Amino acid sequence: MFHRPAAVRRRTAAVAVLGLVLAFTAGTSSATPRTRPVPRPVTHVGSAPGSTTALAGYVIRSTAEVADSPAAVSSPGYPAAGWYAAGPRSTVLAALLAAGKYPDPFYSANQQKIPAADFAVPWWYRSDFTVADTNSRTYLDFSGVISAADVYVDGKQVAAKDTVTGAYTRHELDVTDLVRSGTNTVAFRIQPNNPDKDLTMGWIDWLQPPPDRNMGIVRDVTVRRGGPVALRDAHVVTALALPSLSSADLTVKAQARNDSAAPVTATVSGTVGQVSFSQDVTLAAHETKSVTFTPAFHPQLHLTAPRVWWPAGMGAQPMYDLALTATVSGSTSDRAHESFGIRDVKAPLNADGARQYSVNGRPLLIKGGGWSPDEFLRWDRTYVEDRLRYALDLGFNTIRLEGHIEPDEFFDLADRYGILTMPGWECCDKWEGQVNGSESGDKWTAADYPVAKASMAAEAARLRDHPSVVSFLIGSDFAPDKTIEKNYADALSAADWRTPVVSAASDNSAPINGSSGMKMTGPYDWVPPGYWYNKQEGGATGFNSETSAGPDIPTLDTLRRMLSPAELAALWQNPSAKQYHRSPSATFATLKLYDDALAGRYGTPTGLDDYVRKAQLAQYENVRAQFEAYGRNAKDASKPSTGVVYWMFNSGWTSLHWQLTDRYLDQGGAYFGAKKANEPLHIQYSYDNRAVTVVNNRTTAALGLTARVTLFTTDGTRRYDRTVTGLDIGPGGASTTALTVPASVSGLSPTYLAKLVLTDTGGREVSRNVYWLSTKPDVLDYAHTDWFHTPTTAYADLKGLSSMPRATVTATGTTAEGPDGTSTTTVTVRNTGSGTTPALLTDVHVVDAHGTPVLPVRWSDNQVSLWPGESATLTATYRTADLHGSAPRVRVSGWNTPTATIGLHSPAEALWKKGTPPGGDVP
């Protein structure tokens, strides 16, 4: 994740992997375990060849509390008294939290009270499944074991921990000879995890690591049934004609394996949509052969006018389905299914050595964020989908996964929504231990190389058909050495991996894949907004794989959910206080850099509310500037920007840094700053040269636009006003400079406001942007840049904002329920003041009857700034159920606007109040 000198780099790591539990909870307020009987999950497995059934769940217990032998524990009928229930994908701690054993670990320092010693020994995972007959062959198929396991079925050991090791390795165990008709048992003895010693997952410095280090089983364990011939590794290699997109060639591949002791001839037939194909394959006893269908021998696999998959905003996201069947003597032996998309991805290095992605022949600026799963790896599809929808709402096209490579459903959702994904291995633990010098992570032993290669093979096979996956990063802070890279390359080649492979997320090279074309220059802590426009360090040039100005203080609602009163007091009063909810890293233990800048630019906070409102203002301007700078520079002739990944998109727990949306999916200044910067057609101000630029991210040109720029003192007095007409901007990220604001404007106050408005040929407002600026610039000390920030030696003077007169904002609105379980609240906010003072950064929250924000929510716009007489109509869409039966209300607040909460009415009620009943006639 970070590349910096070992002398200053100290990171606390813990292991994490993908995970699920029965209920996605953050723990309960009770520390007393439930006393009711623990349900014993039993999975009913069908007999149909080709069927795959995931185990429904487990009961778990520490081996320190189980004296019985593995043979007894793994035998049907074992009582398992006093064991805990666990979901089908669950870490140990996730199960214990669901059982109520510990209080909410997301609140205060509760997590520190969970004894890590409880997880220093292996834990048993036990599950029963039933089989009606034993005529079909039976296999256990799984990955996601953290960190290793001995595996037993019906009292017999079927695999050992030196084989079942590594979070990503995949295992198929033929248990046909052990399985009996009726109830069967599988048991895993899960080993403790240490990411410095095991090729698993760690949290690095993202958050306080969980005490169990995520030991457990975090992907499905499935029971597969089949006949004598098994189909495995089914996939499709696509070749799209460029630039016409008029045709595509499909090559279908699979492995046919004879699991019987006699020769056999199987017919392998398949379909892709309306296209069908077939061939026979003869197999000796226990032989495996590749089965390939190519357009050369099956012309129907040459598609004309294919349905091409595009990233969101560039086109549609159609998917194709492959279905294969192996039959022997007229009977089905096995089936395989796979979804895939047709698209082309390339990522060559440009003239400056930066990686430039293109999809289907169209170059695009990568705009995204770093992804974090839940800290306890609890999978919740709805929660994940909510966050991916937020990514689209922010105008993102990409999510980067540094380790913590999510389950299949994540990539299915990314395919559906058109969100590009960049998975890869993580830094700062065993994955880079062989190449990162004296930093954390043990050196590799001979046993680690095959585990790493098997991990690469398994993930490549799992991800290759997802059109959303556009790269795999085989290194993060460091590139692999030639031996490790060769193993990865061989595994990728064997899996028919066709999308770009990147050596590292940092500016490093590897012998086979060459230069990464990426930079990891930070920053990771506070820098001023103008930093992003300088084409040095982390500024807007090249491909920055992870970067942000560090802290992202959440809303006051969230802060009160996550911090104790004493912690809330320290948050605003003591910049040097260690913040447990920031990071385990000593570098990021406090908020001092951030707090010093907040006080230096905006003035010393006078209370918690004042601290939070200043934080939202600061985060809005900084995040907006980061994305605006990269957007403006994307088409530059010299050192263009090609990609930027905000570090991070979200947090896996209740955090004070590296998040655009918080754990509870609330949205503050950072979120709406990013949303504003990435709007499809956007007018923006450049901190470096005062240029007013229009950026067009749409797929069509924008013609005949008018840009107006007005500068005001903080009391709303106009000091500069200029309009430029007839602006034409091409599509696909093109930009044009409308005008340049003079370096000096008479009568401006040290703190002043800039209002930018873009209108179309009909005079309709299509983009609006308001900046708070200073005649005194921030001064950066690049000579003393370190790995995480560039010092600021003088701050811009924005203290004048504190003396802005109060503005009066009124709000009216209605709520309507949709047919799909959602509601839409429409709110019109209006500055009704009689003077000249604008209402700066007016925020609207939909709340329930208790004043609790309704989350998640997607706003058309928010945190708007309004001059007297101006209004804005905003819409918010959310799940009706999240109101918990209460009527929605809206809470309006702002920089210089008092907070007020108002009730809403349905559209019918609003009409009635105007004198027209729902039927239409006046009574």
Side-chain angles (χ1 to χ4, degrees):
M1 178 175 161
F2 303 131
H3 183 202
R4 57 215 185 246
V8 298
R9 185 177 183 185
R10 298 292 183 267
R11 310 185 69 168
T12 302
V15 174
V17 294
L18 308 167
L20 296 166
V21 288
L22 290 171
F24 186 48
T25 64
T28 69
S29 60
S30 171
T32 303
R34 297 169 184 165
T35 57
R36 65 175 181 268
V38 173
R40 304 266 313 265
V42 178
T43 305
H44 301 289
V45 176
S47 301
S51 65
T52 301
T53 307
L55 295 181
Y58 305 90
V59 290
I60 70 170
R61 196 165 188 186
S62 169
T63 58
E65 299 172 340
V66 178
D68 299 309
S69 68
V73 170
S74 61
S75 294
Y78 179 75
W83 291 41
Y84 295 94
R89 312 173 191 174
S90 178
T91 66
V92 172
L93 187 50
L96 299 182
L97 290 171
K101 185 173 175 62
Y102 305 113
D104 182 0
F106 287 158
Y107 178 74
S108 187
N110 282 349
Q111 187 169 253
Q112 288 183 312
K113 302 172 186 176
I114 300 174
D118 290 354
F119 314 107
V121 299
W123 278 65
W124 279 112
Y125 275 59
R126 188 184 185 282
S127 188
D128 291 336
F129 65 94
T130 63
V131 172
D133 68 77
T134 57
N135 294 325
S136 296
R137 302 195 68 83
T138 306
Y139 312 85
L140 287 179
D141 191 342
F142 59 91
S143 65
V145 172
I146 305 299
S147 65
D150 299 303
V151 187
Y152 301 83
V153 172
D154 291 351
K156 304 292 184 182
Q157 186 168 2
V158 294
K161 62 185 177 183
D162 59 345
T163 300
V164 180
T165 183
Y168 299 105
T169 55
R170 185 171 181 178
H171 308 275
E172 183 180 64
L173 307 177
D174 190 336
V175 295
T176 302
D177 295 339
L178 295 176
V179 170
R180 67 195 73 176
S181 179
T183 300
N184 298 268
T185 299
V186 57
F188 293 81
R189 185 164 57 191
I190 304 294
Q191 300 300 307
N193 186 41
N194 184 335
D196 282 338
K197 299 181 180 298
D198 307 314
L199 289 168
T200 53
M201 304 180 197
W203 287 104
I204 318 168
D205 48 8
W206 302 2
L207 47 72
Q208 298 290 350
D212 73 335
R213 294 187 157 191
N214 296 128
M215 67 184 296
I217 302 175
V218 297
R219 292 182 181 171
D220 286 342
V221 174
T222 62
V223 182
R224 301 179 69 160
R225 310 303 301 278
V229 173
L231 286 176
R232 298 293 185 264
D233 200 36
H235 61 286
V236 181
V237 179
T238 65
L240 178 64
L242 294 179
S244 67
L245 313 182
S246 60
S247 65
D249 288 335
L250 309 183
T251 299
V252 178
K253 295 186 177 184
Q255 298 289 316
R257 186 181 70 210
N258 181 7
D259 285 335
S260 73
V264 66
T265 296
T267 299
V268 179
S269 57
T271 60
V272 173
Q274 301 301 311
V275 174
S276 59
F277 41 89
S278 178
Q279 66 174 280
D280 293 337
V281 56
T282 300
L283 301 163
H286 303 296
E287 182 183 13
T288 300
K289 284 184 179 179
S290 296
V291 180
T292 302
F293 302 89
T294 68
F297 293 94
H298 302 273
Q300 61 271 40
L301 292 175
H302 175 80
L303 305 185
T304 57
R307 294 180 288 119
V308 177
W309 187 97
W310 290 94
M314 298 178 69
Q317 293 79 44
M319 297 291 291
Y320 287 82
D321 291 310
L322 166 69
L324 291 179
T325 302
T327 57
V328 176
S329 300
S331 297
T332 298
S333 180
D334 202 4
R335 299 181 186 274
H337 302 272
E338 189 77 1
S339 294
F340 66 97
I342 297 176
R343 59 94 178 96
D344 178 271
V345 177
K346 290 183 172 59
L349 304 185
N350 67 12
D352 299 307
R355 197 164 291 274
Q356 173 66 71
Y357 280 81
S358 66
V359 177
N360 303 330
R362 295 186 192 173
L364 76 162
L365 172 68
I366 294 293
K367 295 184 293 184
W371 180 266
S372 174
D374 169 68
E375 178 178 5
F376 308 107
L377 303 182
R378 297 168 295 190
W379 174 261
D380 183 289
R381 179 187 174 90
T382 299
Y383 185 61
V384 169
E385 191 166 9
D386 287 338
R387 285 180 286 166
L388 290 177
R389 286 174 173 170
Y390 270 15
L392 289 181
D393 185 51
L394 290 177
F396 283 6
N397 54 32
T398 303
I399 290 293
R400 181 183 165 213
L401 300 94
E402 184 193 347
H404 305 90
I405 306 175
E406 293 277 30
D408 294 342
E409 296 96 321
F410 176 90
F411 296 96
D412 291 339
L413 289 169
D415 291 343
R416 183 205 300 176
Y417 286 116
I419 300 172
L420 305 179
T421 62
M422 301 177 68
W425 306 129
E426 67 193 43
C427 85
C428 315
D429 53 25
K430 186 58 175 277
W431 284 102
E432 293 186 347
Q434 189 64 17
V435 294
N436 66 3
S438 61
E439 297 182 22
S440 61
D442 287 3
K443 297 297 181 184
W444 287 24
T445 67
D448 293 314
Y449 290 87
V451 174
K453 184 175 182 179
S455 300
M456 185 75 264
E459 288 304 286
R462 190 172 73 93
L463 300 176
R464 64 193 163 195
D465 278 340
H466 287 283
S468 60
V469 179
V470 293
S471 275
F472 199 96
L473 277 66
I474 57 173
S476 181
D477 289 28
F478 296 87
D481 64 23
K482 63 180 181 181
T483 302
I484 298 173
E485 186 192 24
K486 179 63 163 59
N487 283 338
Y488 288 155
D490 289 347
L492 288 160
S493 177
D496 286 321
W497 186 268
R498 299 300 175 93
T499 53
V501 177
V502 181
S503 301
S506 58
D507 185 11
N508 275 300
S509 298
I512 297 172
N513 291 287
S515 172
S516 70
M518 295 186 177
K519 66 178 182 179
M520 192 187 286
T521 48
Y524 300 98
D525 213 323
W526 191 85
V527 291
Y531 171 94
W532 302 106
Y533 282 89
N534 296 325
K535 290 190 173 184
Q536 53 185 315
E537 301 298 341
T541 182
F543 194 118
N544 200 337
S545 67
E546 49 183 59
T547 186
S548 76
D552 284 305
I553 305 301
T555 63
L556 194 56
D557 295 291
T558 292
L559 286 171
R560 286 174 171 153
R561 293 179 70 173
M562 62 184 269
L563 299 180
S564 69
E567 290 165 333
L568 288 172
L571 180 65
W572 72 271
Q573 295 183 76
N574 188 357
S576 298
K578 289 187 176 180
Q579 298 291 343
Y580 182 69
H581 283 262
R582 188 169 184 205
S583 172
S585 165
T587 302
F588 304 117
T590 76
L591 290 166
K592 183 169 175 52
L593 282 174
Y594 176 86
D595 288 353
D596 286 351
L598 206 65
R601 300 176 92 240
Y602 290 99
T604 302
T606 58
L608 178 62
D609 286 9
D610 189 51
Y611 177 83
V612 174
R613 77 182 187 122
K614 286 175 175 171
Q616 303 313 312
L617 206 66
Q619 288 156 198
Y620 187 104
E621 65 164 345
N622 209 310
V623 176
R624 175 179 60 180
Q626 177 176 335
F627 284 103
E628 285 182 337
Y630 274 85
R632 186 199 70 175
N633 291 356
K635 301 295 185 180
D636 280 8
S638 173
K639 299 178 68 176
S641 57
T642 61
V644 58
V645 177
Y646 189 88
W647 205 251
M648 298 175 67
F649 171 65
N650 68 296
S651 179
W653 85 322
T654 42
S655 179
L656 295 170
H657 78 162
W658 296 347
Q659 58 187 356
L660 292 174
T661 177
D662 65 39
R663 168 64 181 77
Y664 303 111
L665 302 183
D666 205 355
Q667 306 150 322
Y671 185 97
F672 291 114
K675 180 177 172 69
K676 175 58 66 176
N678 294 321
E679 62 185 348
L681 185 60
H682 180 63
I683 188 170
Q684 64 186 61
Y685 173 84
S686 302
Y687 283 82
D688 60 338
N689 61 10
R690 306 176 312 285
V692 174
T693 301
V694 180
V695 180
N696 183 16
N697 292 307
R698 303 184 307 185
T699 57
T700 57
L703 306 176
L705 301 176
T706 297
R708 182 182 180 186
V709 181
T710 315
L711 305 185
F712 300 87
T713 60
T714 53
D715 65 0
T717 303
R718 185 184 305 167
R719 296 299 185 188
Y720 174 86
D721 193 5
R722 183 164 174 206
T723 299
V724 177
T725 62
L727 296 172
D728 297 338
I729 306 101
S735 63
T736 189
T737 297
L739 62 95
T740 299
V741 175
S744 177
V745 174
S746 177
L748 275 185
S749 51
T751 304
Y752 63 98
L753 304 174
K755 180 170 72 170
L756 282 57
V757 177
L758 187 70
T759 54
D760 62 15
T761 54
R764 184 176 65 93
E765 185 176 292
V766 292
S767 179
R768 176 189 181 93
N769 212 347
V770 174
Y771 294 79
W772 37 103
L773 302 168
S774 175
T775 56
K776 177 185 176 184
D778 295 293
V779 179
L780 287 154
D781 181 9
Y782 280 98
H784 290 91
T785 296
D786 54 32
W787 64 266
F788 63 95
H789 88 306
T790 296
T792 303
T793 58
Y795 296 117
D797 181 5
L798 299 173
K799 298 181 181 68
L801 295 177
S802 295
S803 61
M804 287 181 68
R806 285 293 184 109
T808 302
V809 174
T810 61
T812 57
T814 61
T815 293
E817 291 189 25
D820 55 353
T822 65
S823 290
T824 298
T825 291
T826 302
V827 182
T828 298
V829 287
R830 182 182 301 275
N831 184 338
T832 57
S834 58
T836 59
T837 302
L840 186 63
L841 219 66
T842 300
D843 177 270
V844 184
H845 265 68
V846 177
V847 298
D848 63 17
H850 303 288
T852 302
V854 177
L855 301 169
V857 60
R858 291 186 302 281
W859 287 95
S860 59
D861 195 5
N862 209 331
Q863 300 199 343
V864 295
S865 297
L866 302 170
W867 269 252
E870 291 183 336
S871 65
T873 298
L874 317 174
T875 60
T877 304
Y878 49 90
R879 284 187 289 269
T880 307
D882 289 336
L883 286 166
H884 306 294
S886 68
R889 296 161 64 83
V890 292
R891 185 180 67 207
V892 181
S893 60
W895 174 258
N896 59 327
T897 304
T899 300
T901 302
I902 65 169
L904 296 173
H905 304 282
S906 70
E909 289 173 325
L911 284 171
W912 184 271
K913 285 179 177 291
K914 292 179 181 179
T916 305
D921 294 329
V922 177

